[in-house]
Amino acid sequence: MSNLNVTHLEQQAFTRSTPVLPTSESKGVEIQIKNLHKYYGQVTVLENLDLNIQAGEFLAIVGRSGCGKSTLLRLIADLEQSSSGQIQLDGKQASHQPDVRVMFQDPRLLPWRSVVDNVNLGRSKAQKVQAFTLLEKVGLKDKSQLWPAQLSGGQRQRAALARALLHRPKVLLLDEPLGALDALTRLDMQQLIENLWLDQGFTAILVTHDVSEAVQLADRIILLNRGEIEAQFTVDLPRPRQKSPAFTQLEQEVLNAVLAT
Ligand SMILES: Nc1ncnc2c1ncn2[C@@H]1O[C@H](COP(=O)(O)OP(=O)(O)OP(=O)(O)O)[C@@H](O)[C@H]1O
Ligand SMILES: [Mg+2]
């Protein structure tokens, strides 16, 4: 985005031909998931799941509806307890992790608070300056005093993104955050998320039904099926990604794998 500073990491990412993880500068954490099980009554949603996510990695999760993607994100965010198994963030148990933020398909803004007060939620008026800075970064500088109802769907998601990033999270979990947006707004938001990820270095996990979006943004894509990781794909394409024969080929490969589940 034009209103973001281009860091050296971003410049590296633009020029290198392999995926760039902002590891050395990373403010992200490593996530280690071992033998994870989640049952709802008799229903097994996640079964013996093992997954390591590098600090600063951008991981995408795809899979058919009901395969357990949101459940996995809720467990990582400690919004729900696993039935058994471990989730560790930089070697520590994932409970009470203030550094993990989640962004959902629905922006969940409070209608009775202004945009800036939504972003600054739970913090003092003196700290509002950071909320304004983030609103500027997401392109909402002029909208900060409006009510959420006065924003478009895409603008509400930008505000939700600013709110999620206010505390400089080490992990950002994205559960289909762009699912309800039109195609053009979606492309803008993808670019914004990628730039903020490059700028801030958090570990990102994106759940999406859009395989093209997964190839556009992720370093690695995992396919969930019946509670297990059915397949993994490394996205070895330079950023920012353009539709190239290699892009389209990988997109087709992932799509075929999803359709085969
Ligand atoms: N609180 C709950 N109680 C009982 N079953 C649940 C609960 N939450 C989720 N499930 C079940 O767990 C399974 C996985 O749900 P989950 O929401 O993780 O799927 P998903 O992959 O995110 O699907 P979608 O792509 O449609 O969002 C589903 O069969 C769902 O019915
Ligand atoms: Mg879901």
Side-chain angles (χ1 to χ4, degrees):
M1 300 297 292
S2 56
N3 56 355
L4 274 180
N5 291 333
V6 176
T7 65
H8 71 279
L9 281 170
E10 199 168 3
Q11 285 164 349
Q12 261 184 339
F14 287 174
T15 50
R16 284 176 49 159
S17 62
T18 51
V20 174
L21 301 183
T23 42
S24 57
E25 307 275 320
S26 174
K27 320 249 178 352
V29 290
E30 183 185 5
I31 303 173
Q32 291 176 308
I33 300 174
K34 282 187 205 146
N35 303 323
L36 190 69
H37 289 80
K38 179 66 184 174
Y39 313 106
Y40 290 111
Q42 303 294 312
V43 180
T44 302
V45 178
L46 299 174
E47 191 168 26
N48 207 18
L49 195 105
D50 287 323
L51 176 64
N52 272 6
I53 305 164
Q54 283 183 55
E57 181 175 357
F58 203 128
L59 180 81
I61 305 177
V62 297
R64 287 193 184 262
S65 180
C67 72
K69 303 179 296 294
S70 296
T71 303
L72 178 57
L73 286 203
R74 286 198 302 276
L75 295 177
I76 295 171
D78 199 33
L79 296 172
E80 225 177 298
Q81 293 299 303
S82 63
S83 305
S84 64
Q86 270 194 336
I87 300 177
Q88 293 197 326
L89 272 60
D90 266 355
K92 295 189 209 98
Q93 208 59 30
S95 58
H96 311 300
Q97 290 282 350
D99 299 329
V100 181
R101 296 281 149 168
V102 193
M103 195 179 152
F104 301 95
Q105 182 168 357
D106 152 20
R108 303 183 184 195
L109 302 174
L110 300 176
W112 58 86
R113 284 178 178 261
S114 67
V115 170
V116 67
D117 286 341
N118 264 285
V119 174
N120 202 44
L121 205 63
R123 294 170 25 122
S124 71
K125 281 187 181 163
Q127 291 170 300
K128 248 190 194 179
V129 62
Q130 287 168 343
F132 282 116
T133 305
L134 265 168
L135 281 171
E136 192 174 351
K137 281 195 178 190
V138 301
L140 287 183
K141 191 182 171 193
D142 303 338
K143 312 282 181 194
S144 59
Q145 303 300 343
L146 298 184
W147 305 113
Q150 295 174 294
L151 300 183
S152 69
Q155 289 166 343
R156 278 183 217 142
Q157 281 303 58
R158 284 170 185 262
L161 183 59
R163 185 183 53 193
L165 294 178
L166 188 72
H167 301 270
R168 300 284 299 199
K170 294 183 174 164
V171 179
L172 182 64
L173 305 175
L174 301 145
D175 195 352
E176 298 186 59
L178 314 184
L181 304 179
D182 67 88
L184 276 179
T185 308
R186 210 179 164 109
L187 291 179
D188 276 354
M189 282 293 288
Q190 286 172 3
Q191 198 185 4
L192 177 64
I193 289 171
E194 181 177 50
N195 285 341
L196 288 166
W197 168 73
L198 288 164
D199 188 56
Q200 301 200 356
F202 48 80
T203 307
I205 308 180
L206 168 74
V207 166
T208 181
H209 280 112
D210 182 344
V211 168
S212 177
E213 182 169 286
V215 176
Q216 185 70 40
L217 292 176
D219 296 313
R220 182 163 54 122
I221 302 170
I222 61 168
L223 167 59
L224 271 191
N225 184 32
R226 297 173 193 274
E228 294 176 350
I229 296 173
E230 172 102 12
Q232 299 203 35
F233 305 84
T234 301
V235 188
D236 193 5
L237 299 170
R239 295 177 187 271
R241 294 179 178 150
Q242 312 289 341
K243 288 265 179 180
S244 61
F247 186 114
T248 309
Q249 192 186 335
L250 180 61
E251 190 182 344
Q252 197 56 51
E253 211 179 303
V254 178
L255 192 59
N256 289 343
V258 176
L259 290 174
T261 60

